[in-house]
Amino acid sequence: MFFKNLSGNKTHTMTLGERKGLKFGILCDTLHLQQWQTLVIEQLILEGNALALIILNKEDSPPKSKGIRRLLCYPIKNFIFLFYYRFLLKPKSKRMLSIEPWIKEAILLEENAKKVKKSYYFSEKTIEAIKSSEVQFLLRFGFGIIKGDILHAAPYGVWSFHHDDPEVIRGVPSNFWEILEDIPVNGAILQQLDESIDCGKILWQGWFPTINHSWKANLDQAYYGSVEWPAQTCREILFKGADCLKNKPFPKPAPMRFAPINCIMLKFFLKLWANKVKFHFNELFRAEHWSIGFIESSIKNFIGNNSRPENIKWIRSRSRRQYYADPAGIYQNHQLKILCEHYDYKPAHGEICLFKTNHHSTIYRPEKVLLNASWHLAFPFIFEAEGNIWCLPESAQSNQLRLYRWDTKKEELMFEKIIISDLQAVDPIIFHHNRKWWLMFTDKTKSNYSLHLWYAEDFRGPYFPHINNPVKTDIRSSRPAGNIFYMDGRLMRPAQDCSVISGHRITLNEIIEITPFSFVETTRFFVEPPKSRQHFKGMHTLNTAGPYVIFDVKQDLFIWDNFKRRLLRKTKKIIVQ
């Protein structure tokens, strides 16, 4: 049996014997669901779970007014929000689709639940039907607030989505207040409901970047980004047992938010307009320009800001059009060699080049180009194995992960093999831990927040995907930023915090647990760009080599070639539309 993602690619082969999926039911108000909800069901079924029960809400609703009377019935103070949300805001994720193709395979049960204030209580007949159907969990796609015996009718309870971080934003509308209040991170959870509102066990959780110039895009990102979470929770149950749900943390709920009033909506529209102008301005007139720094220091001192900034040496491009970034080091014969990405905005292309350093130089020029290909190359990750030094650069555009061996005499990278094909891996890293080789990267389509984990017995492969990829969805600490190291007995993983901007700063995550069936890490430290007169805006690579710490920092500059490319792209988009 294969687990598959929504694109249909095989992502895992069951190695512990053939296992049947779980039986589940859905609670809904109609036989038409939002598109993202149908994708949730489709993903569950695709992985071998069975939709066995549909409970349809048959609540008697009062007759609706028509025409002008209907408009007059709208609450005046919320009129702008209700009108805009109903008639103008149309995210793709919320398009209504029929679920009739699945009805044939499931029991259809109509329920007129008892409503007490805003809560629904289900009849004994429905509770017994749930138990007799042997469904193991229910997905709530309707009925509003649910209380009573139904919460315990299925072994794993009732699962419900909340598309915000409940510790920051709770209530309605989804993914709205983050834009209005300039909150850079947008959260979502899948929870197991209990009697308290938004205080159930968190089954899965993720954090996305707030798209502050488009509410529609912000909604689509959060809804589509959470589609696989019920299927991932099922995988956890199948491979780790029911106990995996017992110790899930409870959120500390934030104050409840309600539908925005008219003056708030006017402020929101002004905010959207200003953010859109700023977004397009930055796309045209601001571009990343990276420089490399290195310092003779322990990683612990560097993280604790105990290193003196004046001791940092810099590798900079003299041209605005080009930059050097993603440094990794080889320390041999008391000399530091730095491999890095060399990027040129004119062809919009990266290659891997080599710098040699010494104590006397203040200006460094590249010694040679090590790798150049028809595809973009970046992030030359360095590791040691079998007495040799190996390099695993990012080559996502080639749809391959390619391994190279460092030839010490020739100072060249020799192609070894393709580790994995049909894979767009961004910023890949490899490390050895607990008698296995672990490969980490983010997916090209969600490069800043979707972390994937693979494993092998040998660093050359074959590699197998983790049972629950992506193992982490977090814009603040997913994308790899450098080599794994131990600090005070802790296994630390540098990652990029892209919450404010891409490559904002480095987070250091302690890996608590890593197996083919589980992955747990927690953020321990943040590493900010060194203070300088240049006012660096970001930092996204941190590596060690011998006694050195190597990193990169960025400034935002106007670059003519970037401006031309962006302007042409925007012009074409306008013409096509």
Side-chain angles (χ1 to χ4, degrees), residues 282-299:
N282 287 336
E283 271 209 323
L284 288 171
F285 297 99
R286 291 288 182 267
E288 295 180 341
H289 193 269
W290 292 89
S291 301
I292 293 171
F294 62 97
I295 184 171
E296 195 166 356
S297 167
S298 70
I299 187 69

Side-chain angles (χ1 to χ4, degrees), residues 72 96 182 231 246 263 311 438 461 539:
L72 292 174
M96 303 303 291
D182 295 320
K246 287 183 179 179
C263 63
N311 292 333
W438 302 95
M539 178 181 185

